[in-house]
Amino acid sequence: MPQVLWLSTIRRTAFLVLVGALSSGLPSTHAAAFDLFGWFGGSDEPPAPSAEALPYSLDYTVGGGKSDLEQTLKDASTLQSLQDEPPPDAAALAARAEADLPRLIDALWGAGYYNARVAINVAGVPLTLQAPRTEAAARAAAGYRARALVPIQVVVDPGPQFELRNVAIREAGTGRPFLPSELPPRVVKIEPGDPARSADILAAEARIVDYFRAESRPFAKVEEREPVVFHPALAMDLSLAVDPGPRAGIGPITIQGAENVDPAVVRSFIYTEPGDPYSPAALASMRKSISQIEALGSVRIREAETLDSYGNLPLFVELTERPLRVIGASAQYSTTDGPALRAYWAHRNLFGGAERLRFEGNLFYLTEDGGQPDEEDEEFDWSDLGGRFRASFLKPALWGTRNDLLVDALVERDRTEGYTSRLVNATAAIRHRFSETFSIQGGIEYERGQTTDVLGQIDYTLVGLPLSLSYDSTDNALNPTEGIRLIASVTPYPEFLGSSVPITIAKGTASAYYSLDEEARYVLAGRIGLGSIVGADLEEIPANRRFFAGGGGSVRGYTYRSLSPTFLGEPVGGRSLIEASLEARIKVTDTIGIVPFVDAGTAFESSYPDFDERIRVGAGLGLRYYTGIGPIRLDVAIPVNPERGDPSYAIYVGIGQAF
């Protein structure tokens, strides 16, 4: 048999990827070798002196102990943003510096420094708004060509920061101030004594408009802004005239753009009715719900400019269609779960009603001893191969209703540390959507298979009536930062329907996500899973239907499906399950994040967790690289309370968060 050296190669590759990722924190030039995705950012160093251009150095001196203003100045400066693109001659350099003067003054005014003074020294020649001296600066800069970087220094005297003295927010037209019950102070937030920053004022305006729009006033706007600066008093008086606009409901909804998708299907995913109160949240919910239709690409909701005769706001849902067919493949690897390959093909609009037909194949290989084989065990073994082929069909919006038809067929050979199984399965179900977040599903399931483990071989037939519910209020499927997910199911397999093993299986998983800041740079995520089987003794239940914990998506750090009651040292599964996970998802930059995590769980022999088995705990640290389609995930986990035979560590690589 050929040696499976590729397993060791994958392990070494995963280790090198981890080393490269962790090296991002090292201030070494060697880190550039791992900068495949631009993780380390660009260099702040200007180009070297040359005869073709005039590169320059840039330095900031901010007086009054206001060093925090330096970043504000850098963000506004074209000298800063174009430093890696030096001008061709001295005149262009002097002109670039002169053009920065009003920009920097505006930035300081925006921060509340209305007495600020700025000078830009080009090769020792100061430029100010009152005395630009661009020709003298150009002559001085020309002497540095091909010799050295032209020294440029931005010298700022910000002066004192102005404060708001009077803040008046009045109704446009009448001029009367809003009562606290009409416009709560918690919405406005700015008040006398606050810094007179333009960004704070604009943010207050946006909050006021958003508040009135959320109160079913779609045409709310700030009609007039009157800031008056009093330089001797170092103060600003601010007056805002706000027009809340009329209250409105949601009017007629017109669907445009999806020529090959039945509009009745789209309408079934709209859960608001004409006359319902208007709100941006209702429109966002509508957009999210329609986006669930796989045949559709972008979803844009355009509001009419006037209300209709009933006082409602007409809406226009503008859609684009996705390509009819899609094909894809993926690969993943874990040191405990082994390698896996997946390929799929799908048609997104089979008959014009957004029907989806999908074929998917998976191939996976069980690595021995938690993915760390001995040298003598590295030969490939066909019995350790597993695979599954699945065909699924979805017909959404049956007869224009909120009911969907789902049909699935599965052929599988599974191989784990504890058992081998072969099966065929077919399921047909109807799903009813109550809203974009909540649905229930019921149907019928048939499965025929064979399982083999240390307890023996079971040939079985199961005919069941699965019932499930799903609730998902999260904001993102692959990277949720807020909301709750809940999936629960119960499936009785009664003997009178033809089941050879009369059992009832109940499962449930709940996860919650909470952002600690507005930018969602710090997110707490938690998950708990429960399961129970009643109606038969453990040894009578097919091994693939018993509960196991361990591996990616369960208790990281342990071998896949290895945590359960054992017999003769082999995991045999249980009749109940408990799992829990806690993660702190921390963004270090816009694209890089770290995730410390803790997982815990195991399976029990009884139908309900009686904790006769020791709860196993895994902990570790993850690295995330955030992309437009979702985060790329690399987790390293270790068992906290391992037993003999458990791996010393595990590495997981995938797309999307762990849960």
Side-chain angles (χ1 to χ4, degrees):
M1 301 290 288
Q3 297 287 324
V4 285
L5 298 178
W6 56 278
L7 287 175
S8 299
T9 301
I10 293 177
R11 291 189 195 96
R12 288 193 295 270
T13 302
F15 176 74
L16 289 174
V17 171
L18 175 63
V19 172
L22 296 179
S23 296
S24 62
L26 302 176
S28 168
T29 56
H30 296 294
F34 297 101
D35 195 14
L36 300 179
F37 302 103
W39 289 359
F40 301 97
S43 172
D44 290 334
E45 294 297 324
S50 70
E52 291 76 25
L54 272 180
Y56 51 89
S57 62
L58 193 57
D59 183 49
Y60 294 84
T61 301
V62 182
K66 302 292 185 179
S67 57
D68 56 315
L69 287 174
E70 184 172 327
Q71 189 58 50
T72 301
L73 297 168
K74 287 182 177 180
D75 292 340
S77 170
T78 55
L79 282 169
Q80 182 73 45
S81 61
L82 298 178
Q83 189 175 11
D84 58 348
E85 301 177 18
D89 53 48
L93 177 58
R96 180 182 294 185
E98 182 184 6
D100 251 7
L101 289 169
R103 294 189 181 94
L104 298 180
I105 290 291
D106 286 346
L108 291 166
W109 285 7
Y113 296 91
Y114 294 96
N115 285 342
R117 291 180 294 177
V118 176
I120 300 179
N121 297 332
V122 179
V125 178
L127 306 180
T128 64
L129 285 176
Q130 295 76 21
R133 301 184 62 192
T134 52
E135 293 184 2
R139 288 194 299 270
Y144 287 83
R145 181 177 293 276
R147 183 172 63 87
L149 298 176
V150 180
I152 297 181
Q153 185 181 32
V154 178
V155 181
V156 176
D157 177 13
Q161 188 177 40
F162 284 45
E163 293 182 350
L164 294 173
R165 186 172 62 180
N166 297 304
V167 178
I169 302 176
R170 306 177 183 278
E171 185 179 29
T174 66
R176 70 173 184 87
F178 288 98
L179 300 175
S181 58
E182 297 173 313
L183 183 61
R186 61 176 174 80
V187 175
V188 181
K189 290 187 178 179
I190 58 173
E191 57 186 15
D194 288 346
R197 291 188 290 253
S198 60
D200 295 345
I201 297 171
L202 294 175
E205 292 181 9
R207 287 192 298 271
I208 293 169
V209 171
D210 289 346
Y211 174 79
F212 282 120
R213 282 173 57 84
E215 293 290 306
S216 300
R217 299 178 182 271
F219 299 127
K221 60 183 176 180
V222 176
E223 287 275 11
E224 188 176 355
R225 179 195 311 122
E226 292 185 2
V228 180
V229 175
F230 296 88
H231 288 269
L234 305 178
M236 172 191 286
D237 289 346
L238 175 67
S239 176
L240 299 178
V242 180
D243 179 10
R247 293 186 183 273
I250 291 177
I253 300 173
T254 303
I255 298 173
Q256 302 172 337
E259 299 178 356
N260 298 311
V261 177
D262 186 352
V265 174
V266 179
R267 290 185 182 278
S268 81
F269 282 82
I270 299 175
Y271 301 98
T272 56
E273 301 292 341
D276 287 351
Y278 164 90
S279 73
L283 269 59
S285 176
M286 186 186 306
R287 186 182 302 108
K288 179 180 178 181
S289 177
I290 296 173
S291 297
Q292 296 174 6
I293 303 175
E294 294 187 27
L296 300 179
S298 64
V299 179
R300 177 175 178 263
I301 299 178
R302 181 168 55 86
E303 304 174 13
E305 297 181 356
T306 58
L307 303 181
D308 64 12
S309 58
Y310 298 99
N312 294 327
L313 182 67
L315 301 177
F316 302 89
V317 179
E318 300 176 346
L319 308 171
T320 62
E321 298 180 36
R322 302 173 74 183
L324 290 178
R325 297 170 183 83
V326 60
I327 186 171
S330 65
Q332 65 181 28
Y333 178 75
S334 161
T335 56
T336 58
D337 305 347
L341 301 173
R342 180 176 71 105
Y344 62 90
W345 175 93
H347 195 297
R348 294 178 171 132
N349 191 18
L350 196 61
F351 304 121
E355 300 89 353
R356 184 209 66 202
L357 177 65
R358 181 185 178 99
F359 298 105
E360 180 177 328
N362 293 263
L363 187 67
F364 39 89
Y365 183 82
L366 174 69
T367 56
E368 298 294 334
D369 300 325
Q372 300 176 23
D374 297 328
E375 290 296 328
E376 61 270 19
D377 294 331
E378 283 194 347
E379 287 195 1
F380 182 86
D381 189 344
W382 285 101
S383 65
D384 287 334
L385 269 179
R388 67 177 60 94
F389 178 79
R390 183 188 300 273
S392 62
F393 175 76
L394 167 65
K395 167 59 180 172
L398 288 170
W399 305 290
T401 68
R402 294 175 183 168
N403 299 317
D404 307 327
L405 171 66
L406 301 96
V407 180
D408 289 273
L410 171 68
V411 179
E412 177 184 83
R413 182 189 189 276
D414 200 4
R415 176 76 170 92
T416 73
E417 282 290 314
Y419 67 85
T420 300
S421 69
R422 303 173 180 83
L423 63 88
V424 293
N425 179 286
T427 305
I430 297 292
R431 176 177 62 199
H432 179 73
R433 294 174 275 107
F434 291 94
S435 68
E436 73 280 358
T437 59
F438 180 57
S439 65
I440 61 171
Q441 180 174 312
I444 186 168
E445 177 187 4
Y446 173 85
E447 181 172 305
R448 186 174 181 84
Q450 178 189 85
T451 65
T452 304
D453 67 352
V454 70
L455 296 180
Q457 178 176 305
I458 299 177
D459 296 286
Y460 68 93
T461 300
L462 293 175
V463 183
L465 301 172
L467 178 66
S468 65
L469 64 86
S470 174
Y471 176 82
D472 188 346
S473 63
T474 59
D475 57 343
N476 187 289
L478 291 177
N479 184 34
T481 62
E482 61 181 10
I484 295 173
R485 281 182 185 157
L486 174 64
I487 300 175
S489 67
V490 58
T491 306
Y493 298 95
E495 198 170 15
F496 67 83
L497 284 180
S499 296
S500 60
V501 185
I503 55 176
T504 297
I505 302 177
K507 295 182 288 186
T509 301
S511 56
Y513 311 88
Y514 179 72
S515 175
L516 299 178
D517 63 313
E518 293 183 359
E519 292 78 23
R521 301 186 72 88
Y522 303 91
V523 177
L524 294 179
R527 177 186 68 93
I528 186 168
L530 299 169
S532 176
I533 304 175
V534 297
D537 294 333
L538 182 66
E539 63 273 11
E540 297 173 338
I541 301 171
N544 62 327
R545 292 289 181 158
R546 302 174 198 151
F547 291 114
F548 297 81
S554 178
V555 184
R556 285 164 284 186
Y558 296 89
T559 303
Y560 175 62
R561 294 174 71 87
S562 66
L563 304 184
S564 78
T566 60
F567 181 73
L568 299 178
E570 297 291 334
V572 295
R575 291 190 296 167
S576 60
L577 173 76
I578 185 169
E579 294 177 329
S581 298
L582 182 64
E583 292 189 347
R585 300 171 180 173
I586 304 168
K587 273 192 171 182
V588 180
T589 70
D590 289 339
T591 57
I592 298 297
I594 59 173
V595 181
F597 60 85
V598 177
D599 300 334
T602 193
F604 306 90
E605 183 176 350
S606 61
S607 292
Y608 304 97
D610 56 9
F611 299 97
D612 57 346
E613 297 287 331
R614 185 169 63 147
I615 298 293
R616 311 295 289 280
V617 180
L621 183 66
L623 182 70
R624 302 290 184 270
Y625 176 64
Y626 294 93
T627 71
I629 61 174
I632 297 175
R633 172 170 53 94
L634 188 151
D635 289 337
V636 181
I638 60 172
V640 174
N641 52 346
E643 295 183 355
R644 184 176 180 180
D646 287 331
S648 56
Y649 69 93
I651 298 175
Y652 305 89
V653 180
I655 295 179
Q657 298 286 6
F659 60 87

